[in-house]
Amino acid sequence: MAEELVLERCDLELEANGRDHHTADLCEKRLVVRRGQPFRLTLHFEGRNYEAGVDSLTFSVVTGPAPSEEAGTKARFPLSDAVEEGAWTASVVDQQNSALSLQLSTPAHAPIGLYRLSLEASTGYQGSSFMLGHFILLFNSWCPADAVYLDSDAERQEYVLTQHGFIYQGSAKFINSVPWNFGQFEDGILDVCLMLLDVNPKFLKNSGRDCSRRSSPIYVGRVVSAMVNCNDDQGVLYGRWDNNYQDGISPMFWIGSVDILRRWKSYGCQNVKYGQCWVFAAVACTVLRCLGIPTRVVTNYNSAHDQNSNLVIEYFYDEYGAFQRKKSEMIWNFHCWVESWMTRPDLQPGYEGWQAIDPTPQEKSEGTYCCGPVPVRAIKEGDLSTKYDAPFVFAEVNADVVNWIQQEGGSVQKTINNSMVVGLKISTKRVGRDEREDITHTYKYPEGSPEEREAFRRANHMNKLADKEDTGIAMRIRVGQSMTMGSDFDVFAHITNNTAENHACRLLLCARTVSYNGILGPECGTKDLSDLSLEPYSEKSIPLQILYEKYCDCLTESNLIKVRGLLVEPAANSYLMAERDIYLENPEIKIRVLGEPKQHRKLVAEVSLRNPLNMALGGCTFTVEGAGLTEEQKTVEIPDPVEAGAEAKVRVDLLPLHVGRHKLVVNFESDKLKAVKGFRNVIIGPP
């Protein structure tokens, strides 16, 4: 009778598996693998090795607190030569002395999460069981059978593995790229992502069902959308838009997701203050990429928040063009969400691919503040019955804006405003390059095309199908030079009269600071021309001066000023409106890297910024972070004021941990100049 088989240890082959599964950064202390792809392990026995025909080996894997075979959260499978597609299998790769090398295969539809792996070894009538260890299973965009499969290696590199990128802000006419450190493979982030799944209300209500449904990226995307905001649960971020952030951190301050997710964990899953749309989107992108779902952050300019789903946003003004806030339906200067790549077996064919997911808490979906995933293709086709939340996303990129003038007698008059078009310059970072890619065409057909009209008909968007009236008089707001923070500048109301008549008009021009979500601040420039004569076939350009001393105290951290012109022709009782959002450019942050950039060798970054204002800056700080370059965020304070025109300069020590291309991301804060961003690509060589 053969002696009992005794396991001495199990080697989970962290280095080889990490390399094969694109999880090397996660596999330093434990095994992290992707589903649908085999991984290796080696069993070392005491005394004798395994003998086929004598010994019987059976493996067992479980995930979640209530594992069951029906739910797909538990499996038992023998050592076997037969490889069965879509099932858990184990087979022998090599056998030497007392070591047995095995290959374990996982189904491409297995739930993701933390698994326990154990072994039952039996010889004749005697048997023992051994705990082999734990491993984490992720989605696999390299595996053709996985629902998140992407066939382009460059896209997998960008949307799953790249730990840095850009988020687009500013305005449609001046797009500002903000660097961001996603850091999905940084120390402890995967644990935070799994914790986020384990405190979600669906898990707390029925953990067995929740763990089973983690096989679907649709389900996981929806859970993450809800958990990044804290409106219904122990979610990550608290959203705030009123410019009062003293008891937390201003949303504009953040430069990466890592610090936010680590804070959430260290606060015992209490929300982190504060987030706005790009922060919600960036944190969702980090979590989804970490779990293996290809994801990108997108920005939509002039984004509508349509509460009653009638696809119309109505604004009311008095006769002097002063805005009267009646409802909370707004046009946001820009709004960010994420897109994730997956199949949609729950929908008709053709709706696989990019799905919009919006974690910013705006409206409830099935009783929870979350939005999506909805196929971007369904938005383009105007197919509003598609799951999930198609009407809301369709309105974000297509709603019509109607402006009403409330006259003193109580009557309302419609005003023409051709300058406010919803859903412009939809942007994301280009694959493999530090450039913007315009993806508007994935959401919308070309303006005026038959396909666009068909999509509007399908969506019952009648307002958009009506012909626009043309009075022969046009106005737009123009700008001269580029506008920088701290400067005085002129903007112009450019008016053309394309008719044969003379028109006696009144022009009201007003500039007000504005938050990125459309909330107006105080005035910073006005002009009222009560007797403006427009000669036949003429053009006029009327300047409005905007002074730093007027906007300096009321500009929000999004650096935006809204200029609005109202042209009134009393004789015809007609109103024409034009508007433009102006982004004030911040000074450049310069970053020099001193020393030879090599792995595990200390580096110094010299970070500087010239004060563009005509007054001193107090309370200056630089904050830097970068996946693979710093273990945690570092902040350096400058003790003395930085005089007008002088340079703020600090040095920061870095210790690069990984070879390859990394981004150092910087934020500068002071009393009069806030949320200035900069970055530098750093290529780290081997030691």
Side-chain angles (χ1 to χ4, degrees):
M1 181 81 184
E3 61 182 297
E4 193 178 356
L5 198 57
V6 178
L7 183 74
E8 180 198 326
R9 64 187 169 89
C10 170
D11 181 353
L12 294 174
E13 306 285 0
L14 299 186
E15 196 178 329
N17 285 322
R19 193 176 53 240
D20 292 347
H21 285 254
H22 310 276
T23 52
D25 289 354
L26 299 170
C27 275
E28 283 169 8
K29 298 188 187 70
R30 55 164 175 211
L31 181 61
V32 181
V33 291
R34 300 186 187 276
R35 64 186 194 175
Q37 181 180 337
F39 64 91
R40 304 274 293 264
L41 55 91
T42 303
L43 303 178
H44 295 268
F45 295 102
E46 281 179 16
R48 69 180 187 87
N49 201 337
Y50 161 80
E51 290 178 49
V54 175
D55 303 303
S56 156
L57 301 184
T58 303
F59 296 87
S60 164
V61 289
V62 295
T63 184
S68 82
E69 292 188 1
E70 309 82 70
T73 49
K74 176 182 182 179
R76 288 186 80 238
F77 49 101
L79 187 61
S80 156
D81 292 336
V83 175
E84 195 186 330
E85 277 296 309
W88 292 88
T89 59
S91 55
V92 176
V93 175
D94 190 23
Q95 194 168 0
Q96 284 178 355
N97 303 329
S98 59
L100 180 67
S101 292
L102 303 174
Q103 175 172 287
L104 263 66
S105 292
T106 62
H109 53 78
I112 60 149
L114 177 66
Y115 281 80
R116 190 175 82 236
L117 173 65
S118 51
L119 167 69
E120 292 165 31
S122 58
T123 309
Y125 296 112
Q126 48 196 5
S128 320
S129 60
F130 305 97
M131 161 68 177
L132 300 182
H134 288 88
F135 65 92
I136 293 169
L137 195 63
L138 303 178
F139 291 105
N140 191 355
S141 61
W142 285 261
C143 169
D146 196 308
V148 300
Y149 173 66
L150 250 179
D151 60 3
S152 153
D153 193 58
E155 289 184 7
R156 292 191 291 251
Q157 196 68 36
E158 180 72 52
Y159 299 135
V160 180
L161 300 181
T162 298
Q163 297 196 73
H164 47 76
F166 293 98
I167 295 169
Y168 295 96
Q169 297 181 6
S171 69
K173 290 258 172 68
F174 193 107
I175 292 173
N176 180 39
S177 62
V178 174
W180 193 269
N181 180 39
F182 293 112
Q184 65 268 31
F185 304 131
E186 290 288 85
D187 199 32
I189 295 302
L190 176 56
D191 290 322
V192 181
C193 296
L194 295 175
M195 182 189 280
L196 184 129
L197 296 181
D198 284 349
V199 298
N200 102 75
K202 290 177 171 150
F203 176 86
L204 301 176
K205 188 174 166 189
N206 184 340
S207 60
R209 179 168 158 76
D210 176 79
C211 289
S212 171
R213 296 180 75 189
R214 291 181 193 178
S215 60
S216 162
I218 304 166
Y219 180 76
V220 171
R222 199 150 168 78
V223 166
V224 170
S225 166
M227 285 302 297
V228 167
N229 69 67
C230 67
N231 289 44
D232 320 274
D233 44 45
Q234 292 179 276
V236 179
L237 280 158
Y238 190 111
R240 190 161 189 172
W241 284 266
D242 63 2
N243 297 314
N244 295 322
Y245 311 123
Q246 292 80 352
D247 61 337
I249 287 170
S250 160
M252 289 296 290
F253 174 85
W254 306 112
I255 45 178
S257 311
V258 176
D259 190 35
I260 295 169
L261 289 165
R262 284 180 179 161
R263 282 175 194 250
W264 178 71
K265 185 184 178 187
S266 69
Y267 296 170
C269 303
Q270 295 298 305
N271 57 64
V272 178
K273 297 172 176 173
Y274 288 104
Q276 289 175 1
C277 69
W278 68 93
V279 191
F280 290 112
V283 170
C285 184
T286 295
V287 173
L288 292 164
R289 281 186 186 181
C290 184
L291 298 174
I293 301 176
T295 303
R296 60 191 188 184
V297 176
V298 304
T299 301
N300 174 39
Y301 289 91
N302 294 352
S303 191
H305 180 168
D306 177 28
Q307 283 183 312
N308 58 7
S309 300
N310 68 348
L311 297 173
V312 177
I313 306 287
E314 295 182 297
Y315 279 136
F316 291 86
Y317 303 87
D318 68 15
E319 289 180 289
Y320 304 101
F323 180 56
Q324 304 189 315
R325 187 150 186 223
K326 290 205 164 179
K327 330 193 225 177
S328 56
E329 291 199 324
M330 298 293 286
I331 306 292
W332 293 28
N333 292 54
F334 64 85
H335 180 52
C336 302
W337 56 80
V338 297
E339 290 177 0
S340 292
W341 182 272
M342 62 190 75
T343 58
R344 289 300 298 264
D346 57 327
L347 300 176
Q348 67 186 61
Y351 282 165
E352 65 283 348
W354 290 114
Q355 313 287 317
I357 298 174
D358 189 348
T360 298
Q362 295 178 92
E363 298 295 322
K364 285 193 170 186
S365 170
E366 295 182 345
T368 302
Y369 279 100
C370 65
C371 176
V374 61
V376 173
R377 180 71 192 271
I379 303 305
K380 184 172 183 172
E381 299 298 341
D383 188 351
L384 303 195
S385 60
T386 309
K387 290 191 298 193
Y388 291 87
D389 311 306
F392 188 77
V393 179
F394 182 84
E396 286 184 310
V397 298
N398 283 309
D400 209 19
V401 187
V402 178
N403 293 290
W404 298 97
I405 302 288
Q406 203 118 28
Q407 296 175 314
E408 270 180 14
S411 60
V412 288
Q413 184 72 18
K414 201 170 179 180
T415 153
I416 298 169
N417 180 357
N418 295 326
S419 60
M420 177 51 83
V421 178
V422 166
L424 293 176
K425 299 274 176 83
I426 304 175
S427 304
T428 191
K429 179 187 173 297
R430 192 176 290 285
V431 172
R433 321 246 312 250
D434 287 350
E435 295 170 6
R436 183 182 77 90
E437 181 183 358
D438 194 302
I439 55 168
T440 312
H441 64 278
T442 64
Y443 282 85
K444 307 169 86 161
Y445 282 106
E447 201 173 337
S449 65
E451 294 91 344
E452 184 198 45
R453 292 185 75 79
E454 184 51 43
F456 287 156
R457 256 195 294 277
R458 205 173 286 123
N460 200 22
H461 195 356
M462 295 312 169
N463 253 54
K464 280 278 195 178
L465 293 168
D467 292 330
K468 294 275 183 271
E469 53 185 305
D470 180 15
T471 59
I473 295 179
M475 173 168 65
R476 58 195 178 104
I477 307 294
R478 295 172 77 163
V479 297
Q481 71 286 22
S482 70
M483 286 123 321
T484 55
M485 182 65 184
S487 65
D488 302 336
F489 56 91
D490 286 338
V491 295
F492 302 88
H494 187 77
I495 305 166
T496 43
N497 176 5
N498 292 320
T499 72
E501 291 85 47
N502 198 60
H503 292 267
C505 297
R506 176 180 185 176
L507 174 67
L508 297 141
L509 278 174
C510 179
R512 292 174 72 168
T513 57
V514 64
S515 297
Y516 91 95
N517 64 339
I519 305 286
L520 293 166
E523 287 181 355
C524 51
T526 59
K527 182 173 266 187
D528 183 351
L529 295 180
S530 54
D531 50 355
L532 180 68
S533 179
L534 302 178
E535 290 82 28
Y537 304 110
S538 66
E539 292 191 16
K540 270 194 167 56
S541 213
I542 289 108
L544 172 67
Q545 193 175 39
I546 299 176
L547 302 174
Y548 174 68
E549 64 184 47
K550 289 278 200 299
Y551 68 75
C552 62
D553 293 332
C554 51
L555 195 70
T556 71
E557 292 171 18
S558 40
N559 283 20
L560 290 164
I561 292 174
K562 186 180 278 292
V563 179
R564 190 176 276 136
L566 180 64
L567 189 68
V568 187
E569 188 178 1
N573 194 22
S574 76
Y575 295 86
L576 177 64
M577 191 176 269
E579 58 190 283
R580 180 164 178 159
D581 295 318
I582 286 164
Y583 173 77
L584 299 180
E585 216 174 338
N586 276 322
E588 181 191 4
I589 292 180
K590 293 198 166 122
I591 303 167
R592 285 173 62 207
V593 175
L594 312 173
E596 202 175 353
K598 293 202 165 174
Q599 188 182 19
H600 303 309
R601 187 184 293 181
K602 202 173 97 171
L603 260 189
V604 174
E606 184 186 82
V607 184
S608 63
L609 169 146
R610 193 168 294 285
N611 176 5
L613 308 183
N614 56 10
M615 55 188 78
L617 296 175
C620 299
T621 62
F622 283 101
T623 303
V624 305
E625 67 175 78
L629 295 171
T630 59
E631 283 194 317
E632 56 187 10
Q633 211 180 59
K634 298 186 173 193
T635 298
V636 183
E637 295 179 8
I638 298 175
D640 302 319
V642 176
E643 297 301 326
E647 198 174 42
K649 187 187 285 185
V650 299
R651 289 190 168 191
V652 186
D653 292 337
L654 310 175
L655 186 64
L657 300 174
H658 300 290
V659 172
R661 187 170 181 263
H662 306 283
K663 256 190 189 60
L664 188 69
V665 182
V666 180
N667 181 60
F668 173 83
E669 293 287 318
S670 68
D671 57 351
K672 298 182 186 70
L673 193 60
K674 296 182 191 298
V676 184
K677 304 286 190 265
F679 78 95
R680 171 81 190 247
N681 290 324
V682 184
I683 294 168
I684 303 297

